Amino acid sequence: MDLTLGEVKSELGSIRGHLIATEGDVKNIYGVLARQDERLEHIERRLELRELAEAQRPYEPK
């Protein structure tokens, strides 16, 4: 199957468009992961503060 130069250029343009869209998707995924990481850090800080505020009982294995 012989492709013309125009067809090859069109295919490359299509591939480029898909690559740009994929890069945007990956960037959005990283943004979501960063927000989740910040939220987990916030939760961890709150748990640490709560643990410090509670009376500490010595560890007693059962």
Side-chain angles (χ1 to χ4, degrees), residues 16 18 24 40 60:
R16 183 175 183 272
H18 285 287
L40 286 173
E60 297 177 14

Side-chain angles (χ1 to χ4, degrees), residues 8-44:
V8 172
K9 286 182 178 182
S10 177
E11 286 293 319
L12 287 174
S14 178
I15 292 169
R16 183 175 183 272
H18 285 287
L19 180 59
I20 291 169
T22 302
E23 288 173 348
D25 291 343
V26 170
K27 181 180 177 183
N28 290 336
I29 290 169
Y30 276 115
V32 169
L33 290 175
R35 288 192 300 275
Q36 292 294 329
D37 191 45
E38 289 173 13
R39 181 156 169 77
L40 286 173
E41 287 176 9
H42 178 73
I43 292 168
E44 288 172 350

